[in-house]
Amino acid sequence: MGPEVSSTGFGTAALPSEVQRLHNRFPEFVGNSPPLIRMLQQLEKIASSDSTVLILGESGTGKELVGRAIHRLSPRRNGPFISENCAAISPTLLDGELFGHTRGAFTGATSERAGLIESAEGGILLLDEIGEMEGLLQTKLLRVLQEREIRRVGSSQTKKVDFRLLAATHRDLEEEVQQGRFRDDLRYRVDVLRIEVPTLRQRR
């Protein structure tokens, strides 16, 4: 039998049987360290909600794995899971990727195209490294979260959207707000539920 580990929100140590149950439920995560077990217990609770989740963790710790696990256990499991890394694409291209565009909206837009937010209808959209998103896109995303509707680039028409947002970052968004690099109202919208992914150093 392995050592007992502390849990979050249960007030007692997790028994080996609980650790095994969590590993059976989350086979994509390897390890028995207390921080990892606490994260899995928290993940199990968060998955059943439909609220926005902020996933915090260093690069390479498995933030997308967390997002996929939430999708697998959520009421939206039969809908799509779509992921985009906001740091891997220029702001101009990210605008069209997220919101879609109409034909002729810009050079090369030869046909109408749905964006990732529309494509996530009924499912989950994970925006990785949301802390890298530039100001105008932050404003547009905030409006989508407030109004639950989207307008494609080059269009004057809006469309209602139904999706769950997961936002991931390695940055301290409170610090980013203080430095004027991230909107506080958007931070408030994405930081409804929070889960912290342990570093690889904590999961040996």
Side-chain angles (χ1 to χ4, degrees):
M1 292 174 61
E4 291 186 342
V5 295
S6 299
S7 65
T8 298
F10 288 86
T12 59
L15 298 173
S17 58
E18 167 70 358
V19 174
Q20 186 59 53
R21 185 189 70 81
L22 289 168
H23 280 311
N24 290 340
R25 197 156 173 77
F26 299 100
E28 57 268 75
F29 295 98
V30 178
N32 292 319
S33 66
L36 181 64
I37 298 304
R38 287 196 295 269
M39 187 200 76
L40 297 182
Q41 290 175 322
Q42 186 182 13
L43 183 54
E44 193 171 41
K45 296 178 183 178
I46 283 176
S48 61
S49 169
D50 204 39
S51 298
T52 303
V53 180
L54 180 62
I55 305 170
L56 300 175
E58 295 179 358
S59 298
T61 52
K63 295 190 291 294
E64 183 168 338
L65 280 180
V66 170
R68 290 185 179 279
I70 290 174
H71 176 258
R72 178 169 56 81
L73 297 177
S74 79
R76 295 178 177 269
R77 65 179 67 89
N78 294 323
F81 176 84
I82 295 176
S83 176
E84 180 62 83
N85 188 329
C86 299
I89 186 170
S90 72
T92 302
L93 293 176
L94 184 59
D95 193 359
E97 281 294 304
L98 290 180
F99 300 97
H101 58 76
T102 61
R103 182 178 181 182
F106 50 83
T107 303
T110 56
S111 62
E112 196 155 317
R113 182 173 180 271
L116 297 181
I117 296 175
E118 277 187 75
S119 300
E121 177 72 22
I124 288 178
L125 173 65
L126 169 64
L127 293 182
D128 198 3
E129 299 303 350
I130 195 172
E132 312 303 316
M133 184 178 284
E134 65 96 31
L136 179 59
L137 289 180
Q138 291 180 31
T139 301
K140 293 182 70 171
L141 179 60
L142 175 65
R143 185 178 184 278
V144 171
L145 296 177
Q146 288 175 331
E147 306 298 330
R148 288 290 160 179
E149 62 183 25
I150 193 170
R151 185 169 62 196
R152 292 182 181 179
V153 176
S155 174
S156 60
Q157 304 296 315
T158 60
K159 178 182 179 181
K160 289 293 183 182
V161 287
D162 173 30
F163 70 104
R164 183 183 186 186
L165 177 67
L166 310 180
T169 182
H170 73 281
R171 295 188 180 275
D172 182 335
L173 290 190
E174 286 88 349
E175 176 66 21
E176 294 298 298
V177 168
Q178 292 175 12
Q179 296 298 323
R181 293 188 291 261
F182 201 83
R183 293 185 61 123
D184 191 37
D185 44 6
L186 180 58
R187 183 203 62 79
Y188 176 79
R189 287 280 179 175
V190 301
D191 195 7
V192 178
L193 299 174
R194 179 186 292 196
I195 188 164
E196 297 189 20
V197 184
T199 66
L200 298 180
R201 299 182 300 278
Q202 296 174 299
R203 288 149 58 180
R204 291 177 180 173

